[in-house]
Amino acid sequence: MNEEGEASMYELTHIQAQSIVDRMMKDIPYNINIMDRTGMIIGSGNKDRIGTLHHGAVQAIQKRRIVEIFEDEEFVKKGINLPIELNGNIIGVVGISGEVEVTRPFGNILKSAVILLIDNSIAMEKKNVQKNLKQEFFTQVINAETAYTQEMIDQALIYGIQLTRPFQIIYVESPTEIDEHFAISVPFFKMTQTSLCIVVQVADQIEDLQQALEKHYPNTLISMSNWNDKIADGLAQAKSAMRVLKGVYTNQKHISYANCDLIVDMLKSFKNDVRLERLAHVLEQNYELIKTLQIYINCNLNLNETASKLMIHRNTLNYRLNKINQATGKDPKNVMELMELILMLINRVE
């Protein structure tokens, strides 16, 4: 749609009009009225007039020019009425009540304020439409059942994505909100206010991306998928890897699906398994034990290193590991049972 088409359909709203009136009347000591394209008052310093027909505005619309009224009449009050015109279309009228000679200088200022608001609103609407189209496209491509049609392939090019080439997905979670205008040179979609899905098709870009993310969001967590032919598959891998990162690791901020795919596959086998949920529930009541278990795993089961990292005596560490065994029935010093505890840690992450 061209700008002329957008302007011809543009409708001033009561909220917009009243907002301008309230703001401008703080500086202009005269009553201000804003009318729609029919001459109906939609914003006024005199709230009783809202919803009534302004005859001076009707004249301004019909004559397509400024109408100055020098004397109060039965249906009109003296003042100045300026039609608001965009691309040859009158979309409303601005009126100021009072002596014409005094109110005339304020007329163009107020008219300019209204036009500026309209221009901003049209630009915002265009931006929102583009944003919604991008989000709709993203919703489609992250659906595993979606087949890439020619229409989607063409649309993807708008966002710098070639659906006919493999992808690597970088999934990002930040403890703070991520700026929507975050400047990176590859396509990305906001999943939530604090998470991103970045679509990479050139391997050399990954290191620069990580550095940019760490610079702007130092505490961000990053997970990477394998190369895939579908965005949905890559995002699923990256999100699964993120669960492993958040569930097991305490001092690591990056993880690749390739480094934890076996654990992810094992976790799929235990999906909705009540045993893992029970273990998680038991340990959730004691954060100290969860932290101890995570550090123990991160230290590759080295008791001395674990005790040092936790700043506790080795006997205290053994006491906590025994407490985990008593609470869950799984011994962290037994490799097979430790695997169940690892799956539990991951399973508790949403």
Side-chain angles (χ1 to χ4, degrees):
M1 183 183 296
N2 59 33
E3 291 184 2
E4 182 175 350
E6 290 167 347
S8 66
M9 295 195 305
Y10 190 85
E11 295 284 348
L12 271 171
T13 68
H14 162 65
I15 292 175
Q16 290 172 331
Q18 193 61 48
S19 174
I20 294 176
V21 168
D22 293 340
R23 187 165 59 249
M24 296 301 289
M25 284 188 65
K26 291 178 181 179
D27 301 314
I28 299 176
Y30 301 98
N31 185 59
I32 297 173
N33 297 306
I34 295 181
M35 284 65 69
D36 64 14
R37 70 180 67 202
T38 68
M40 194 69 67
I41 298 176
I42 57 175
S44 177
N46 181 355
K47 303 297 191 297
D48 293 336
R49 297 194 64 188
I50 294 175
T52 63
L53 192 65
H54 191 290
H55 294 271
V58 172
Q59 292 180 43
I61 293 168
Q62 292 173 345
K63 296 176 180 180
R64 303 183 68 85
R65 62 176 175 80
I66 297 173
V67 171
E68 297 177 340
I69 301 171
F70 292 87
E71 299 292 338
D72 288 344
E73 300 175 10
E74 183 178 0
F75 295 108
V76 294
K77 293 185 178 295
K78 58 187 175 184
I80 184 169
N81 300 283
L82 303 90
I84 305 166
E85 188 172 324
L86 282 180
N87 298 316
N89 299 288
I90 294 178
I91 61 153
V93 177
V94 173
I96 307 179
S97 302
E99 297 294 338
V100 172
E101 295 299 326
V102 178
T103 58
R104 186 183 290 136
F106 295 116
N108 286 327
I109 295 174
L110 188 56
K111 178 180 175 181
S112 297
V114 175
I115 291 175
L116 181 61
L117 169 71
I118 292 166
D119 287 341
N120 288 342
S121 296
I122 290 174
M124 186 62 70
E125 287 174 7
K126 287 176 67 175
K127 182 179 178 182
N128 287 338
V129 167
Q130 292 168 353
K131 181 179 178 181
N132 290 338
L133 286 174
K134 182 178 179 181
Q135 201 58 42
E136 287 175 12
F137 169 80
F138 180 60
T139 301
Q140 283 185 293
V141 295
I142 64 172
N143 185 336
E145 304 300 321
T146 298
Y148 294 164
T149 63
Q150 187 59 50
E151 182 181 0
M152 288 186 68
I153 292 172
D154 294 340
Q155 185 180 358
L157 293 174
I158 298 173
Y159 309 122
I161 299 172
Q162 298 183 50
L163 289 181
T164 54
R165 291 180 53 202
F167 313 91
Q168 186 170 27
I169 299 300
I170 298 180
Y171 178 64
V172 178
E173 287 192 7
S174 169
T176 57
E177 183 174 348
I178 298 175
D179 185 356
E180 192 168 330
H181 304 292
F182 176 54
I184 53 177
S185 59
V186 294
F188 71 89
F189 301 87
K190 285 191 75 170
M191 303 279 294
T192 66
Q193 293 299 312
T194 58
S195 63
L196 290 181
C197 171
I198 302 175
V199 182
V200 178
Q201 294 191 280
V202 179
D204 293 344
Q205 295 175 319
I206 294 175
E207 186 175 346
D208 290 339
L209 277 171
Q210 288 183 351
Q211 291 177 356
L213 287 163
E214 289 170 355
K215 178 180 178 181
H216 289 86
Y217 303 98
N219 296 315
T220 192
L221 299 178
I222 300 172
S223 60
M224 291 174 286
S225 73
N226 292 337
W227 288 89
N228 292 276
D229 291 328
K230 297 191 72 174
I231 291 176
D233 295 338
L235 181 58
Q237 290 178 354
K239 291 184 75 172
S240 295
M242 180 64 74
R243 291 184 68 193
V244 175
L245 179 62
K246 293 168 67 177
V248 177
Y249 296 99
T250 57
N251 59 353
Q252 187 171 314
K253 294 182 179 179
H254 302 163
I255 193 169
S256 296
Y257 177 77
N259 295 332
C260 62
D261 54 351
L262 181 59
I263 293 177
V264 171
D265 287 343
M266 291 176 63
L267 195 60
K268 290 177 183 177
S269 302
F270 285 89
K271 187 176 181 180
N272 300 323
D273 192 297
V274 294
R275 291 171 297 177
L276 292 186
E277 292 179 4
R278 182 179 62 81
L279 293 179
H281 177 71
V282 169
L283 286 189
E284 283 294 347
Q285 301 175 43
N286 193 326
Y287 177 74
E288 184 181 77
L289 294 185
I290 289 179
K291 194 70 175 177
T292 299
L293 184 57
Q294 289 174 325
I295 299 293
Y296 177 63
I297 295 167
N298 278 251
C299 292
N300 294 314
L301 319 188
N302 185 306
L303 294 175
N304 289 330
E305 186 179 351
T306 303
S308 177
K309 285 278 180 68
L310 290 168
M311 292 185 290
I312 59 176
H313 194 276
R314 178 165 169 159
N315 290 341
T316 304
L317 173 60
N318 281 317
Y319 169 78
R320 290 186 187 178
L321 294 177
N322 288 333
K323 199 170 180 181
I324 291 172
N325 189 3
Q326 292 170 8
T328 64
K330 305 298 176 183
D331 184 0
K333 296 179 181 179
N334 180 300
V335 175
M336 297 301 292
E337 294 181 16
L338 176 62
M339 182 57 68
E340 292 184 67
L341 290 171
I342 291 173
L343 294 174
M344 177 275 297
L345 288 174
I346 300 169
N347 193 60
R348 56 188 277 274
V349 178
E350 293 296 332

